[in-house]
Amino acid sequence: MTRSDGRALDEHRPVEVIPGFHRNAEGSVLYRAGRTVVLCTASVDRTVPPWMAGKGRGWLTAEYQMHPRSGPERREARDGRGKAPSGRTQEIQRLIGRALRAALDLKRLGEMTIALDCDVLEADGGTRTASITGSFIALAMALSRLQVTRAIPEPVLRDQVAAISVGHLAEGLALDLVYTEDSTARVDLNLVATPRGAIVEVQATAEDEAIPRSELDQMVDLGFVGVRALARLQREVLGRIGVDLAALFQAGRWVEP
Amino acid sequence: MTRSDGRALDEHRPVEVIPGFHRNAEGSVLYRAGRTVVLCTASVDRTVPPWMAGKGRGWLTAEYQMHPRSGPERREARDGRGKAPSGRTQEIQRLIGRALRAALDLKRLGEMTIALDCDVLEADGGTRTASITGSFIALAMALSRLQVTRAIPEPVLRDQVAAISVGHLAEGLALDLVYTEDSTARVDLNLVATPRGAIVEVQATAEDEAIPRSELDQMVDLGFVGVRALARLQREVLGRIGVDLAALFQAGRWVEP
Amino acid sequence: MTRSDGRALDEHRPVEVIPGFHRNAEGSVLYRAGRTVVLCTASVDRTVPPWMAGKGRGWLTAEYQMHPRSGPERREARDGRGKAPSGRTQEIQRLIGRALRAALDLKRLGEMTIALDCDVLEADGGTRTASITGSFIALAMALSRLQVTRAIPEPVLRDQVAAISVGHLAEGLALDLVYTEDSTARVDLNLVATPRGAIVEVQATAEDEAIPRSELDQMVDLGFVGVRALARLQREVLGRIGVDLAALFQAGRWVEP
Amino acid sequence: MTRSDGRALDEHRPVEVIPGFHRNAEGSVLYRAGRTVVLCTASVDRTVPPWMAGKGRGWLTAEYQMHPRSGPERREARDGRGKAPSGRTQEIQRLIGRALRAALDLKRLGEMTIALDCDVLEADGGTRTASITGSFIALAMALSRLQVTRAIPEPVLRDQVAAISVGHLAEGLALDLVYTEDSTARVDLNLVATPRGAIVEVQATAEDEAIPRSELDQMVDLGFVGVRALARLQREVLGRIGVDLAALFQAGRWVEP
Amino acid sequence: MTRSDGRALDEHRPVEVIPGFHRNAEGSVLYRAGRTVVLCTASVDRTVPPWMAGKGRGWLTAEYQMHPRSGPERREARDGRGKAPSGRTQEIQRLIGRALRAALDLKRLGEMTIALDCDVLEADGGTRTASITGSFIALAMALSRLQVTRAIPEPVLRDQVAAISVGHLAEGLALDLVYTEDSTARVDLNLVATPRGAIVEVQATAEDEAIPRSELDQMVDLGFVGVRALARLQREVLGRIGVDLAALFQAGRWVEP
Amino acid sequence: MTRSDGRALDEHRPVEVIPGFHRNAEGSVLYRAGRTVVLCTASVDRTVPPWMAGKGRGWLTAEYQMHPRSGPERREARDGRGKAPSGRTQEIQRLIGRALRAALDLKRLGEMTIALDCDVLEADGGTRTASITGSFIALAMALSRLQVTRAIPEPVLRDQVAAISVGHLAEGLALDLVYTEDSTARVDLNLVATPRGAIVEVQATAEDEAIPRSELDQMVDLGFVGVRALARLQREVLGRIGVDLAALFQAGRWVEP
């Protein structure tokens, strides 16, 4: 049984990544998963927020922004312009920040802030997971540059992180939902995890009725299938532009995939 | 091995519930779990938001507000006063709304809005789960009044919902963390579920390093222990004030606990 | 001639005070006058606002907030959330602050801020006077704690302060109006005063037509009847929890009532 | 004993009024009392706010705004620009609105809004009372025009209203304080009243210690001296431009002064 | 061929200037051009914005504000009150600031800010050009006072600046449009210039269709006619109050007109 | 004499245009001029703003937004997020809107809004002129689609519009300034014009001292050189994707270039 776009239930959308798309940021990718497109940039600033100053630790923060015409139907007002960003936007950018901070040893980064901007240019479901998966590549590019220029004394990465959605459709459990699937799914799960099978964050929401415990287990299993595939893709992209992911890992943390 | 407040790892805090504490709201409880105190009120309004009008469906919304002196140490500025509520507040009130909407069949409610206000008077961890567990009682009180006055033609409840936190402490997995435990936990999980073992929402976050898959499973198991205990407590409180929970359930949905 | 709730014209509503209701604040009461309920908390902070720093003086500030369901009819939007508090709210909290500052010798307090939060949980008229009368008790509790812990070197109280409303009803001048009385009164007067007969603040407004001078005089007289009764009640509450009001007064200021 | 500007204690500042200063508004004055200057304009709009529509009644509203350089010392940020007006500004404009509404029979005005804008160009104390006294003249000009053009079927004025401040200085009770006097006064009273001796609003605040009841009485007496003098001046200005105040009064309300 | 108000096409409106209208500001004029009235004040502050501190340079900034009843028809909400000023207001005040900064050698002013407030009391077209022309006089008054009190060590003026509008009407190119002309003009040009024929800023906008190059040239020529006339008027006003414009100019910059 | 990037003074930067870059918008280009990159999207909505409804006319509006890392040095806060967009941003987007409205006959468009979003991804000077030049292509793509689908009954374009900057550098007058040139230029002119030599808008600002009239004339001449070159490029891009610009013009308006 296949889906509207012909994919198998456990298949993620075709992903195209253009690293270095944004020339000013220390790391950047244009991340395209089907008809979802996110520009992820990683910017390095040699200061930390006032509440962190003097502790010798680094910080990583994220901002998520929808383009007004990200949807296929019609232009929306630009979220957060002239007023506070919506609750949804704030929830998503807090998630992105937590996800990527889990990949880093902030205590070793030094007093430095890495800001990840996730600009959703086109949206067809899965924008938060695309933002996380793409941001990891931008982050690795920025870290590589920091190591090359000796702006940081030692590697600070401790995990590779990717994210994917899983939903319960009429056809069964499915990976990486597009918008029309997402809006009819009975359950919506987002998994942020490492390719070695550890969980950074999992959020599962029954859209209508509560779901049996067993279903949660199956959805997490399926999510790991996607995370491993996307993590492989992250390594390929980084390899293509000469970034050796293993070299960015703290001593003893890298495990050959 | 016991915790700072003498509880066993799988023991929730002592809960005291004062139903009808707020005399104007259609349903209300003052919910005390240890040193966390939340005033939950359910207010019924015979209209729906403009974007829902004319569809014959009801709506349920939630607002979460910290009292400026909810913390033991010092007064904070009142969140959201004169500016947008913080991202944390918005995230929590969105969660409360989803959790309680899952308990209701909104299609049968009629064009009516139920607003749940969760005012955290004192905070010692677990304010979002206390808000959900307390709000369910306030909601049931309001529904009971709507049925008694025949303002709704038929029962609209389809599940009983409660929530609890689980954390990974040095001592092991623990239920219902207080603030000092929460701030040192390696993982933080919030489970919103039914006493029959179905999941409404689960959010698990690795505070520092990613966690093994098996740990997630154990934390969900422990969460269900807490949810069942709190659900029993909800039924006792409702019974004491003469609300028959079974009578609020849609036909065929009630299962004797 | 009696009123809708059976009171005599010069009788204030039955008052119930629960001191220590809020366990984190240095002083607190749940103040119930009929169907008006205000949670008053006094929080002590060992700093002063920037514009006062270095002068050796203390400060006292107040915040007033209506619960969204404070009214019996329907829920209102939470005032001041995501936008500036209403003019009415700002006017009231400025009044509360002035009233309580009059009770203190701020020059002797030292560089310290006492913040009074008045959360109106239920509203049936007289919320600003209930806030002032209740806040005085919370303030005295906080001062007592500061003296006991020697956080302040000497007593700083110079007056006992309470407040009450007076209105001109069809039945004649009446004390402590409930909402329905207030909305039909021809004149509305709020008196903040000491039990010894001195005025801290008086505000009288002709709701429709201007009023004769003589009527103002009678209303102030009636207000003092209420203030003296409420001041007696404040002392009883404080006595019950072991706070000796006389010991909080500056030398030479206390007069046995 | 005289004051810094040579006035007797019961003497108000010299007042200069330029009626018609603003040519677009239906009524306007430039009101100068010593070094306090307020531009008062009355604008008529043939609609009422939505919450009043369809009731056949009129409305009157007021806005108060300080010029950034109203003070002699230095420019301040323009209050309320890009953010909510300060609590002080809102409190004052609410007072001005109540004061002028007391002068009118809004039920007879018809569905029409009169907006009074009080722009304080220079400030040397007494800006709220100058705003009220000046606005009454602008209001009378606008009403006269409405009667002449038969835009209202009958006179709607029921009282003449003026306002003045009284303070307790070291020299004794004094009328119409300038800024330096106001900032050292022990009590500050603002009286809005009619020349016939009726009170529209009185606000008295003890700036430091509570004041004896008898003092309030004397301050109100002194305030009436000022109000009668300013009311005479209002009539003179209106007479000079050909506005017959008596003709603006409802039948039976005018009393020859 | 004459215009609705009888003026020739190359004639500006009659201008009346009252210098010193605002007594607190270091320089001020009430500037009336026909039915457009702007109160321009120049306030001197002995500090600079934080981002300029320590550079030894001065700053000049401008604020533009419409009175709510500036228009003849009806009162508008006060622009920028409780929210950000409109785009039009910000655009205009940025223009005024640039125009007047061009007249000054900020490097020689010392660490000092001159703030120009342009309050449009009545508006009938040409408010931005009236603001600039009037502000120059207020600025010269303030500079004169600074020189007289030796608050600045040397003259800092390097140009005289005035502004005027030009439009393309059905009758031909016309100077200094009133509102009704402005709203039907095919092109709208604002020229800020010196009487010696140098351009500070020119903005020309085709309201409907693009305009031929030659027309731009003619409009600039006509604008200079107006700027020279207004500059003469500025000198006359300053001369009347004893300000010698030549003495405010930097050495070698003044050219006898 | 050449410039830092090797260009001749009258040479614009190399431009690369990717039409259709954004797949959801009715028209879009990624417009790269040197190191300035703008994503221009044209979105069609079949409604007009409320104040235009029922007049049978169309509307065109523009929004301009800087990416937080548009600059090479460091990330800035995202302009306008949670607060009003800066004055600069509002000024620019108002200019873009006026420029593109000049290209259209809005009376013939029907009740429809075209929104142009100009997202500056990388900024190296000339972002407003790049936004206008790129937006014209996006607009033409959208109009072509509207004509093809017969959503508009007749062509509505009346002019081709492009924009370029001109500055006065030490080396002489120069076209299309990069950021470092722009910040040292003595004059800054932006020309919006048609390839046939008509002016839509011209803004010239003397950054320091006023400039002679003759210089304005030369700068406009030079600007037209750039506008003609960019207009040729616009036609080439549109031709490449099969959009016949001539067919979008109203009858009698197209002139073979």
Side-chain angles (χ1 to χ4, degrees):
Chain A
M1 191 168 41
T2 58
R3 294 148 81 178
S4 60
D5 57 0
R7 281 187 287 150
L9 287 170
D10 63 352
E11 192 181 351
H12 66 71
R13 285 177 279 184
V15 173
E16 179 195 4
V17 181
I18 306 177
F21 179 84
H22 190 282
R23 293 170 293 179
N24 289 330
E26 278 75 10
S28 75
V29 297
L30 187 75
Y31 187 94
R32 288 191 170 115
R35 292 192 71 89
T36 286
V37 182
V38 188
L39 171 58
C40 304
T41 58
S43 300
V44 177
D45 190 336
R46 302 304 165 96
T47 63
V48 285
W51 55 270
M52 286 193 67
K55 297 183 181 163
R57 304 186 54 203
W59 187 238
L60 181 149
T61 185
E63 205 166 285
Y64 173 93
Q65 179 78 42
M66 300 283 274
H67 187 278
R69 189 54 195 279
S70 55
E73 294 304 328
R74 49 178 294 164
R75 187 182 184 273
E76 305 283 341
R78 200 177 283 257
D79 181 52
R81 206 184 211 214
K83 56 178 199 292
S86 69
R88 175 185 174 273
T89 287
Q90 293 191 57
E91 198 171 308
I92 292 175
Q93 66 192 13
R94 284 159 58 89
L95 169 64
I96 300 171
R98 285 195 306 270
L100 276 299
R101 281 194 293 274
L104 277 189
D105 188 342
L106 291 168
K107 287 186 292 296
R108 303 298 171 90
L109 183 58
E111 297 217 347
M112 181 180 297
T113 298
I114 300 178
L116 293 164
D117 284 289
C118 299
D119 282 69
V120 178
L121 302 183
E122 302 177 29
D124 184 26
T127 61
R128 76 187 71 191
T129 53
S131 295
I132 292 169
T133 306
S135 287
F136 179 81
I137 309 175
L139 172 63
M141 291 170 70
L143 292 176
S144 174
R145 180 184 297 204
L146 288 170
Q147 274 184 232
V148 165
T149 59
R150 298 189 192 281
I152 53 176
E154 52 174 333
V156 294
L157 208 58
R158 55 185 191 195
D159 262 318
Q160 183 181 353
V161 167
I164 196 92
S165 73
V166 180
H168 186 146
L169 305 180
E171 297 89 341
L173 299 184
L175 202 61
D176 193 18
L177 308 193
V178 297
Y179 178 77
T180 50
E181 291 173 335
D182 189 41
S183 52
T184 58
R186 296 215 306 266
V187 197
D188 186 23
L189 179 143
N190 287 291
L191 177 69
V192 186
T194 75
R196 294 180 298 159
I199 293 171
V200 171
E201 179 138 353
V202 61
Q203 296 192 345
T205 307
E207 290 300 327
D208 190 28
E209 301 217 11
I211 55 166
R213 167 66 199 268
S214 59
E215 197 162 306
L216 174 70
D217 297 341
Q218 295 168 43
M219 291 178 86
V220 172
D221 289 341
L222 183 53
F224 271 114
V225 172
V227 163
R228 276 189 300 267
L230 293 174
R232 200 176 313 120
L233 191 141
Q234 289 172 330
R235 290 189 301 268
E236 287 168 8
V237 169
L238 287 167
R240 249 179 12 237
I241 57 170
V243 172
D244 176 8
L245 190 56
L248 304 178
F249 268 70
Q250 293 186 307
R253 301 288 311 215
W254 174 253
V255 178
E256 202 61 41
Chain B
M1 190 168 42
T2 58
R3 296 148 80 178
S4 60
D5 56 1
R7 280 187 288 151
L9 287 170
D10 63 351
E11 193 182 350
H12 65 73
R13 285 178 279 185
V15 173
E16 180 195 3
V17 181
I18 305 178
F21 179 85
H22 190 282
R23 294 171 292 180
N24 290 329
E26 278 75 10
S28 75
V29 297
L30 188 74
Y31 187 94
R32 289 191 169 114
R35 291 191 71 88
T36 285
V37 182
V38 187
L39 170 59
C40 305
T41 58
S43 299
V44 177
D45 191 337
R46 303 302 165 96
T47 62
V48 285
W51 55 271
M52 286 194 66
K55 297 183 182 163
R57 303 185 56 202
W59 187 238
L60 181 150
T61 184
E63 205 166 285
Y64 172 94
Q65 178 78 44
M66 299 285 274
H67 186 278
R69 188 55 195 279
S70 55
E73 293 306 327
R74 51 178 293 164
R75 187 182 184 273
E76 305 283 342
R78 199 176 286 256
D79 180 52
R81 208 186 209 214
K83 56 178 199 291
S86 69
R88 175 186 175 273
T89 286
Q90 293 190 55
E91 198 171 307
I92 291 176
Q93 66 193 14
R94 283 159 56 91
L95 168 65
I96 300 170
R98 285 195 307 270
L100 277 299
R101 281 194 293 274
L104 277 189
D105 188 343
L106 291 168
K107 286 187 293 296
R108 301 299 171 90
L109 183 59
E111 297 218 346
M112 180 179 299
T113 297
I114 300 178
L116 294 164
D117 283 289
C118 299
D119 281 71
V120 178
L121 302 183
E122 302 177 29
D124 184 26
T127 62
R128 77 187 71 190
T129 54
S131 294
I132 292 169
T133 306
S135 287
F136 178 81
I137 309 176
L139 173 62
M141 291 171 70
L143 292 176
S144 174
R145 181 185 296 205
L146 287 171
Q147 275 184 232
V148 165
T149 59
R150 298 187 191 283
I152 52 175
E154 52 175 331
V156 294
L157 208 58
R158 57 186 191 194
D159 260 319
Q160 185 182 353
V161 167
I164 197 90
S165 73
V166 180
H168 186 148
L169 306 179
E171 297 90 340
L173 299 185
L175 202 61
D176 193 18
L177 308 193
V178 298
Y179 178 76
T180 50
E181 292 174 335
D182 189 41
S183 53
T184 58
R186 294 216 307 268
V187 197
D188 186 23
L189 178 143
N190 288 291
L191 177 67
V192 187
T194 75
R196 293 180 298 160
I199 293 171
V200 171
E201 180 138 352
V202 62
Q203 296 192 344
T205 306
E207 291 300 327
D208 191 27
E209 300 217 13
I211 55 166
R213 166 67 199 267
S214 59
E215 197 163 305
L216 174 70
D217 297 339
Q218 295 167 43
M219 292 178 85
V220 173
D221 289 340
L222 183 52
F224 270 113
V225 172
V227 164
R228 276 190 298 267
L230 293 175
R232 199 176 313 120
L233 191 141
Q234 289 173 331
R235 290 191 299 269
E236 287 168 9
V237 169
L238 287 168
R240 252 186 1 244
I241 57 169
V243 172
D244 176 8
L245 189 56
L248 303 179
F249 268 69
Q250 292 185 309
R253 302 289 309 216
W254 174 254
V255 177
E256 203 60 42
Chain C
M1 191 166 40
T2 57
R3 294 149 81 178
S4 60
D5 55 1
R7 279 187 288 150
L9 288 170
D10 63 352
E11 193 181 350
H12 65 73
R13 285 178 277 185
V15 173
E16 180 194 4
V17 181
I18 306 177
F21 179 84
H22 190 282
R23 293 170 293 179
N24 289 331
E26 278 75 10
S28 76
V29 297
L30 187 74
Y31 187 94
R32 288 190 169 118
R35 292 192 71 89
T36 285
V37 182
V38 187
L39 171 58
C40 304
T41 58
S43 300
V44 176
D45 191 336
R46 303 303 165 97
T47 62
V48 286
W51 54 271
M52 285 193 68
K55 298 185 181 161
R57 303 184 55 201
W59 186 237
L60 180 149
T61 184
E63 205 166 283
Y64 172 93
Q65 178 78 44
M66 299 283 275
H67 186 279
R69 189 53 195 281
S70 55
E73 294 305 327
R74 49 180 293 165
R75 186 181 185 275
E76 306 283 342
R78 201 176 283 256
D79 181 52
R81 205 180 212 217
K83 56 178 199 292
S86 69
R88 175 185 173 273
T89 287
Q90 293 190 57
E91 199 171 307
I92 292 175
Q93 65 193 14
R94 284 158 59 89
L95 168 65
I96 300 170
R98 284 195 306 270
L100 277 299
R101 282 194 292 275
L104 277 189
D105 187 342
L106 291 168
K107 287 186 292 295
R108 303 297 172 90
L109 184 58
E111 296 217 345
M112 180 180 297
T113 297
I114 300 178
L116 294 164
D117 283 290
C118 299
D119 282 70
V120 178
L121 301 183
E122 303 177 29
D124 184 26
T127 60
R128 76 187 71 190
T129 52
S131 295
I132 292 169
T133 305
S135 287
F136 179 80
I137 308 176
L139 172 62
M141 292 171 69
L143 292 176
S144 174
R145 181 185 295 204
L146 288 170
Q147 275 184 230
V148 166
T149 59
R150 298 189 192 282
I152 52 176
E154 52 174 333
V156 294
L157 207 60
R158 55 184 191 195
D159 261 319
Q160 183 181 353
V161 167
I164 196 92
S165 73
V166 180
H168 186 145
L169 305 180
E171 298 88 340
L173 299 185
L175 202 61
D176 193 18
L177 308 192
V178 297
Y179 178 76
T180 49
E181 292 174 334
D182 189 40
S183 52
T184 58
R186 295 215 307 266
V187 197
D188 186 22
L189 178 144
N190 288 291
L191 176 69
V192 186
T194 75
R196 295 180 298 160
I199 294 171
V200 171
E201 180 140 351
V202 61
Q203 295 192 346
T205 306
E207 290 301 327
D208 190 27
E209 300 216 14
I211 54 165
R213 166 68 198 268
S214 59
E215 197 162 306
L216 174 69
D217 297 339
Q218 295 168 42
M219 293 178 83
V220 172
D221 288 342
L222 183 52
F224 270 113
V225 172
V227 164
R228 275 190 299 267
L230 294 174
R232 200 175 313 122
L233 191 141
Q234 289 173 330
R235 290 191 300 268
E236 286 168 8
V237 169
L238 288 167
R240 251 182 6 239
I241 57 171
V243 172
D244 176 9
L245 188 56
L248 303 178
F249 269 69
Q250 292 186 307
R253 300 290 310 217
W254 173 253
V255 177
E256 202 63 41
Chain D
M1 192 167 43
T2 57
R3 295 148 81 179
S4 61
D5 55 2
R7 278 188 290 150
L9 287 170
D10 63 351
E11 194 181 349
H12 65 72
R13 285 177 278 184
V15 174
E16 181 194 2
V17 181
I18 305 177
F21 180 84
H22 190 283
R23 293 170 294 180
N24 289 331
E26 278 74 10
S28 75
V29 296
L30 188 75
Y31 187 95
R32 288 190 169 117
R35 292 191 71 88
T36 285
V37 182
V38 188
L39 171 59
C40 304
T41 58
S43 299
V44 177
D45 191 336
R46 303 302 165 97
T47 62
V48 285
W51 54 270
M52 284 193 67
K55 297 185 181 162
R57 303 185 56 202
W59 187 237
L60 180 148
T61 185
E63 206 166 285
Y64 172 93
Q65 178 78 45
M66 298 285 274
H67 186 278
R69 189 53 195 280
S70 55
E73 294 305 328
R74 49 178 294 162
R75 187 181 184 274
E76 306 284 342
R78 199 177 286 255
D79 180 54
R81 209 187 208 212
K83 56 177 199 293
S86 69
R88 176 186 174 273
T89 286
Q90 293 191 55
E91 198 172 307
I92 291 176
Q93 66 193 15
R94 284 161 57 90
L95 168 64
I96 300 171
R98 285 195 306 271
L100 276 299
R101 282 195 292 276
L104 276 189
D105 187 342
L106 291 168
K107 288 187 291 297
R108 301 299 171 89
L109 183 59
E111 296 219 345
M112 180 179 298
T113 297
I114 299 178
L116 294 164
D117 283 288
C118 299
D119 282 71
V120 178
L121 302 183
E122 303 177 29
D124 184 27
T127 61
R128 78 187 70 189
T129 53
S131 295
I132 292 170
T133 306
S135 286
F136 179 80
I137 309 176
L139 173 62
M141 290 171 71
L143 292 176
S144 174
R145 182 185 295 204
L146 288 171
Q147 274 183 234
V148 166
T149 59
R150 300 188 190 281
I152 52 175
E154 50 174 334
V156 295
L157 207 59
R158 56 186 190 193
D159 261 319
Q160 184 182 352
V161 167
I164 196 90
S165 73
V166 180
H168 187 148
L169 306 180
E171 299 88 339
L173 300 185
L175 201 62
D176 193 19
L177 308 192
V178 297
Y179 178 76
T180 51
E181 291 173 335
D182 189 42
S183 52
T184 59
R186 295 214 307 267
V187 198
D188 187 22
L189 178 144
N190 287 292
L191 175 69
V192 186
T194 74
R196 293 180 298 160
I199 294 171
V200 170
E201 180 139 353
V202 61
Q203 296 193 344
T205 306
E207 290 301 326
D208 191 28
E209 300 217 12
I211 54 165
R213 166 69 198 268
S214 59
E215 197 162 307
L216 174 70
D217 297 339
Q218 294 167 44
M219 292 178 84
V220 172
D221 289 341
L222 183 53
F224 270 114
V225 172
V227 164
R228 275 190 299 267
L230 293 175
R232 200 175 312 121
L233 191 141
Q234 289 173 331
R235 289 191 301 268
E236 285 168 10
V237 168
L238 287 168
R240 250 180 11 239
I241 58 170
V243 172
D244 176 8
L245 189 57
L248 304 179
F249 269 69
Q250 292 185 309
R253 302 289 309 216
W254 174 254
V255 177
E256 203 62 42
Chain E
M1 191 166 43
T2 57
R3 295 148 82 179
S4 62
D5 56 1
R7 281 188 287 151
L9 287 170
D10 62 351
E11 193 181 351
H12 65 72
R13 285 179 277 184
V15 173
E16 181 195 3
V17 181
I18 306 178
F21 180 85
H22 190 283
R23 293 169 293 179
N24 290 330
E26 279 74 11
S28 74
V29 296
L30 188 75
Y31 187 94
R32 288 190 169 117
R35 292 193 70 90
T36 286
V37 182
V38 187
L39 170 59
C40 304
T41 57
S43 300
V44 177
D45 191 336
R46 303 302 166 96
T47 62
V48 287
W51 55 271
M52 285 193 68
K55 297 184 182 162
R57 302 186 55 201
W59 187 238
L60 181 149
T61 184
E63 205 166 285
Y64 173 93
Q65 178 78 43
M66 298 285 273
H67 186 279
R69 189 52 196 281
S70 56
E73 293 305 328
R74 49 179 294 164
R75 186 181 185 274
E76 306 283 341
R78 200 177 285 256
D79 180 53
R81 205 182 211 214
K83 56 177 199 292
S86 69
R88 175 185 173 272
T89 286
Q90 293 190 57
E91 199 172 307
I92 291 176
Q93 65 192 14
R94 285 160 56 91
L95 168 64
I96 300 170
R98 286 195 306 271
L100 277 300
R101 283 194 292 275
L104 278 189
D105 188 342
L106 291 167
K107 287 186 292 297
R108 303 298 171 90
L109 183 59
E111 296 217 345
M112 180 180 298
T113 297
I114 300 179
L116 293 164
D117 283 289
C118 299
D119 281 72
V120 177
L121 301 184
E122 303 176 29
D124 184 28
T127 61
R128 77 187 70 189
T129 53
S131 295
I132 292 169
T133 305
S135 287
F136 179 80
I137 309 176
L139 172 62
M141 291 171 70
L143 292 176
S144 174
R145 182 184 297 204
L146 288 170
Q147 275 184 233
V148 166
T149 59
R150 299 187 191 282
I152 53 175
E154 52 174 334
V156 294
L157 207 59
R158 55 186 191 194
D159 261 320
Q160 184 182 350
V161 167
I164 196 90
S165 73
V166 180
H168 186 146
L169 305 181
E171 298 89 340
L173 299 184
L175 202 62
D176 192 19
L177 307 193
V178 296
Y179 178 75
T180 50
E181 291 173 335
D182 189 41
S183 52
T184 58
R186 296 216 306 267
V187 197
D188 186 23
L189 178 145
N190 288 291
L191 175 69
V192 186
T194 75
R196 294 179 298 158
I199 293 171
V200 170
E201 179 138 353
V202 62
Q203 296 192 346
T205 306
E207 290 301 328
D208 192 29
E209 300 216 15
I211 54 166
R213 167 68 199 268
S214 59
E215 196 162 308
L216 174 69
D217 297 341
Q218 295 166 42
M219 292 177 85
V220 173
D221 289 342
L222 183 53
F224 271 114
V225 171
V227 164
R228 276 189 300 266
L230 293 175
R232 201 176 312 121
L233 192 141
Q234 290 173 329
R235 291 190 300 269
E236 285 167 9
V237 169
L238 288 168
R240 251 182 8 239
I241 56 170
V243 172
D244 176 9
L245 189 56
L248 304 178
F249 269 68
Q250 293 186 306
R253 300 289 311 215
W254 173 253
V255 176
E256 201 61 42
Chain F
M1 191 168 43
T2 59
R3 295 148 81 180
S4 61
D5 56 0
R7 278 187 289 150
L9 287 171
D10 62 352
E11 195 181 348
H12 65 73
R13 285 178 277 185
V15 173
E16 180 195 3
V17 181
I18 306 178
F21 179 84
H22 189 283
R23 294 170 292 180
N24 289 331
E26 278 75 10
S28 75
V29 297
L30 188 74
Y31 187 94
R32 289 191 168 116
R35 290 192 73 89
T36 286
V37 182
V38 188
L39 171 58
C40 304
T41 58
S43 300
V44 177
D45 191 336
R46 303 301 165 99
T47 61
V48 285
W51 54 271
M52 285 194 67
K55 297 185 182 162
R57 305 184 54 200
W59 186 237
L60 181 150
T61 184
E63 206 166 283
Y64 172 94
Q65 178 78 43
M66 299 284 274
H67 186 279
R69 189 53 194 281
S70 54
E73 294 304 328
R74 50 179 293 163
R75 188 182 183 274
E76 306 282 343
R78 199 176 285 256
D79 181 53
R81 209 187 209 213
K83 57 176 197 294
S86 69
R88 176 186 173 271
T89 287
Q90 293 190 55
E91 199 171 307
I92 292 175
Q93 66 193 14
R94 284 160 56 90
L95 169 65
I96 300 170
R98 284 195 307 270
L100 276 299
R101 281 194 293 275
L104 277 188
D105 187 342
L106 291 168
K107 287 186 293 294
R108 301 299 171 88
L109 183 59
E111 296 219 346
M112 181 179 298
T113 297
I114 300 178
L116 294 163
D117 283 289
C118 298
D119 281 71
V120 177
L121 302 182
E122 302 177 30
D124 185 26
T127 61
R128 76 188 71 189
T129 53
S131 295
I132 292 169
T133 306
S135 287
F136 180 80
I137 308 175
L139 172 63
M141 291 172 70
L143 291 176
S144 174
R145 181 185 295 204
L146 287 171
Q147 275 183 232
V148 165
T149 59
R150 298 185 192 282
I152 51 175
E154 52 174 333
V156 294
L157 207 59
R158 55 185 191 193
D159 262 318
Q160 184 182 353
V161 167
I164 197 91
S165 73
V166 179
H168 186 147
L169 306 179
E171 297 90 340
L173 299 185
L175 202 62
D176 193 18
L177 308 193
V178 297
Y179 178 76
T180 50
E181 291 173 336
D182 189 41
S183 52
T184 58
R186 294 215 307 266
V187 198
D188 186 22
L189 178 144
N190 287 292
L191 176 69
V192 186
T194 75
R196 294 180 297 160
I199 294 171
V200 170
E201 180 140 351
V202 61
Q203 296 192 346
T205 306
E207 290 301 327
D208 191 27
E209 299 216 14
I211 54 165
R213 165 68 197 266
S214 59
E215 197 163 305
L216 174 70
D217 296 339
Q218 294 167 44
M219 292 178 84
V220 173
D221 288 342
L222 183 53
F224 270 113
V225 172
V227 164
R228 275 190 300 267
L230 293 174
R232 199 175 312 120
L233 192 141
Q234 289 173 330
R235 289 190 300 268
E236 286 168 9
V237 169
L238 287 168
R240 254 186 0 244
I241 57 170
V243 172
D244 176 7
L245 188 56
L248 303 179
F249 269 69
Q250 291 186 308
R253 301 290 308 216
W254 173 254
V255 177
E256 201 63 40

